[in-house]
């Protein structure tokens, strides 16, 4: 299904998850009709609880000359085959010349070395000022000292980066390997998540394909920084919660009496949803996000509220006369225990190396100290003191930086970050231009994709507010949790690349908007043709835009005037 009907496969829902097929029979629905709201066909309660996946079509394969059996087989495989093909493309791009540039670029100077120290010491050690040159020289020297170092981010992301270094050594390929792998897997996950969310394999693959050609996600996948790892855990948690939502609603649907065509008050209010392992998995994944970088914490709160509202909506559809009361009685406590405590425990476990080695920074700060909280074990008090110092550092970080930017400018790509820049002369590093060349790695989102996402977010706001579409609300929640908190720290030194955490949700927003542009299944052939032309043109322009900027995403040597032509805005220089 490749139209707006894909986003309405469950006949729509409220902003909190309630079905929009209820709306026309309410005062709210009658008010919305003044703005063009059209009542949708009613389905049974069971169908509203569990939106079916559309049967995969065989028209494309039959057009290519395949027989009915082969076409049906390929159509069935498309649910995984399509996402795997998109991920294969993304992986090829991300691993291509991954070790280039052969340099320690931007904040790799912190995380690559800290990752190595964690795998060899269990905590972050100390490095001399000339460590980068010694690491890159031949023969290599690794001047790691066992003296503890003060670091301002939790250890989980560095453990992940260090696994690549353990496999391939302390070199650019080694310290970038895991981010490239996670960036590729994130594309695969987004295809599958988009398919489940929008009930369309084509739209799911479109969302994943858009992220495959997003410049910011691409550059972050080829750089040893923490933010791409946070994005991976957050996206995985979102997918786990989507699966949990479907399974919980399926249990309610199965409990309905008779043929399930009508809601039942007892079922909606009293049925227990049982063990929910996918919600526990989401708690672990959110804990891993927080244990990588603290900007994962807003997602714990945002996704927790979103999951609870989904339960409210499910119980309302099932027939609960007071769905909020039913949720509080049956779901609130298990939900809170599944997410918040699990995330906290996961966060603490990520500090295992710091706890067991006993040599980390501030590890023994609380030893022998009395006071009100002396009943708490000293290692935990030491960690609390360490984290408080880190918090103070982070909120008061106001030292100016050339590439810092205000979050107001992020969505329009006002100030990207240059990770690496060189100016080879004629005859150096493959430079064939008499006037000289440029090599740059610029953390810049694909402009046409991000600018289209601005319009997509407005469209989703409309759908969430006026069409009561839960899918739009879920995507907006993913963007808001990664974006809005930064407005509280506008005086802090912050950067555009922090936005990579919500890039998957921007791609989902654009995919949903393009699905709507294709038109509903009942639209005229002319309407769908022009919708396909418009959507296809935008996708092709986004792909071209990525190809055009590819040299400055990968540090390729290009003539200086070609580099300058790619600086569309003065603030990009």
């Amino acid at each position: 299904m490749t139209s707006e009907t894909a986003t309405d496969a469950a006949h729509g829902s409220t902003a909190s998850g309630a079905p929009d097929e209820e709306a026309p029979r309410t005062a709210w629905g009658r008010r919305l009709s003044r703005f063009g709201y059209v009542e949708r066909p009613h389905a049974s309660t069971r169908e509203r609880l569990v939106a079916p996946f559309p049967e995969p079509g065989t028209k494309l394969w039959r057009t290519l000359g395949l027989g009915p059996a082969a076409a049906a087989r390929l159509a069935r495989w498309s649910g995984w085959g399509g996402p795997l093909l998109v991920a294969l493309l993304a992986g090829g791009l991300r691993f291509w010349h991954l070790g280039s540039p052969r340099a320690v670029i931007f904040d790799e100077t912190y995380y690559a070395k800290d990752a190595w120290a964690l795998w060899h010491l269990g905590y972050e050690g100390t490095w001399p000022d000339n460590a980068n040159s010694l690491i890159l020289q031949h023969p290599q020297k690794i001047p790691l000292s066992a003296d503890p170092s003060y670091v301002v981010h939790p250890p989980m992301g560095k453990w992940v980066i260090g696994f690549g270094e353990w496999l391939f050594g302390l070199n650019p390929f080694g310290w970038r390997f895991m981010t490239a792998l996670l960036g590729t897997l994130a594309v695969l996950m987004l295809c599958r998540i988009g398919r489940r969310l929008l009930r369309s394999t084509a739209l799911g693959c479109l969302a994943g394909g858009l992220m495959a050609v997003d410049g910011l996600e691409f550059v972050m996948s080829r750089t040893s920084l923490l933010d791409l790892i946070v994005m991976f855990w957050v996206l995985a948690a979102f997918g786990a919660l989507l699966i949990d939502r479907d399974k919980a609603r399926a249990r309610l649907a199965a409990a309905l009496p008779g043929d399930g065509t009508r809601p039942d008050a007892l079922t909606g209010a009293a049925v227990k949803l049982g063990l929910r392992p996918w919600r526990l998995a989401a708690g672990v994944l959110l804990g891993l996000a927080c244990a990588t970088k603290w900007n994962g914490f807003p997602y714990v709160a945002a996704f927790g509220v979103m999951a609870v509202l989904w339960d409210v909506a499910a119980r309302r559809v099932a027939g609960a006369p007071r769905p909020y009361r039913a949720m509080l009685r049956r779901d609130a406590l298990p939900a809170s225990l599944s997410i918040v405590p699990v995330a906290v425990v996961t966060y603490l476990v990520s500090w295992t190396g710091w706890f067991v080695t006993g040599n980390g920074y501030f590890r023994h700060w609380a030893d022998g100290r009395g006071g009100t909280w002396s009943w708490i074990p000293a290692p935990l008090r030491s960690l609390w003191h360490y984290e408080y110092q880190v918090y103070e550092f982070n909120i008061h970080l106001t030292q100016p930086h050339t590439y810092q930017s205000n979050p107001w400018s992020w969505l329009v790509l006002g100030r990207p970050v240059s990770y690496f820049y060189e100016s080879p002369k004629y005859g150096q590093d493959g430079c064939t231009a008499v006037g000289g060349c440029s090599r740059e790695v610029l953390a810049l989102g694909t402009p046409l994709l991000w600018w289209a996402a601005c319009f997509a977010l407005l469209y989703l706001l409309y759908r969430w507010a006026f069409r009561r579409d839960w899918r739009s609300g879920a995507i907006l929640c993913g963007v808001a949790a990664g974006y809005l908190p930064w407005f509280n720290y506008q005086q802090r030194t912050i950067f555009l690349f922090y936005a990579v955490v919500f890039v998957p949700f921007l791609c989902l927003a654009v995919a949903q908007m393009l699905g709507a542009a294709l038109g509903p299944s009942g639209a005229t052939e002319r309407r769908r043709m022009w919708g396909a032309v418009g959507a296809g043109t935008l996708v092709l322009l986004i792909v071209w835009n990525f190809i055009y900027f590819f040299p400055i995403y990968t540090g390729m040597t290009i003539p200086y005037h070609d580099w300058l032509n790619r600086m569309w805005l003065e603030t990009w220089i």
Side-chain angles (χ1 to χ4, degrees), residues 259-282:
D259 57 4
T261 58
R262 294 180 177 276
D264 178 70
L266 183 61
T267 299
V271 168
K272 296 181 180 180
L273 297 178
L275 183 65
R276 302 176 70 167
W278 284 104
R279 185 168 282 186
L280 286 170

Side-chain angles (χ1 to χ4, degrees), residues 181-269:
L181 178 62
L182 295 186
T184 302
L185 292 177
V187 171
L188 176 61
M189 281 198 305
L190 186 60
C191 291
R192 293 289 298 177
I193 287 170
R195 179 179 184 271
R196 180 175 290 273
L197 180 71
L198 304 176
R199 288 303 197 260
S200 167
T201 299
L203 292 183
C205 289
L206 175 60
L210 290 173
M211 192 162 79
V213 295
D214 174 60
L216 183 60
E217 202 272 354
F218 175 74
V219 170
M220 296 298 288
S221 296
R222 293 169 54 87
T223 311
S224 183
L225 271 64
L226 301 179
D227 300 83
L228 187 283
I229 302 172
V230 178
M231 180 271 282
F232 178 83
W233 301 129
V234 166
L235 181 61
F238 183 75
L241 289 174
L242 274 180
I243 296 173
D244 172 75
R245 179 185 183 275
D246 282 353
K247 290 185 176 296
R249 293 170 76 95
R251 287 173 185 161
L252 283 173
L256 288 171
D259 57 4
T261 58
R262 294 180 177 276
D264 178 70
L266 183 61
T267 299

Side-chain angles (χ1 to χ4, degrees), residues 107 109-111 114-115 118 123-125 148-158 226-227 230 289-297 347 351 354 361-362 383 385-399 486 492-493 495 497-498:
D107 281 355
T109 189
Y110 304 115
Y111 308 128
D114 285 345
L118 279 172
Y123 59 93
E124 292 90 342
S149 176
Y150 176 74
V151 296
V152 295
H153 293 300
M156 188 62 226
K158 289 165 282 188
L226 301 179
D227 300 83
V230 178
C290 300
T292 300
K293 206 171 179 182
W294 282 2
N295 56 340
F297 279 109
Y347 182 87
W351 286 87
W354 185 86
Y361 203 86
F362 278 142
L383 181 61
H385 175 73
Y386 191 180
E387 299 289 65
Y388 177 75
Q389 297 299 318
V390 169
Y391 172 76
E392 287 292 307
F393 171 84
N394 277 302
I395 65 171
H396 295 110
L397 180 60
T398 57
Q399 182 179 356
W486 291 110
R492 186 188 184 276
T493 307
F495 302 92
F497 66 81
Y498 296 169

Side-chain angles (χ1 to χ4, degrees), residues 122 155 159 348-357:
W159 282 110
L348 290 175
V349 169
S350 74
W351 286 87
T352 298
W354 185 86
F355 282 119
V356 301
T357 59

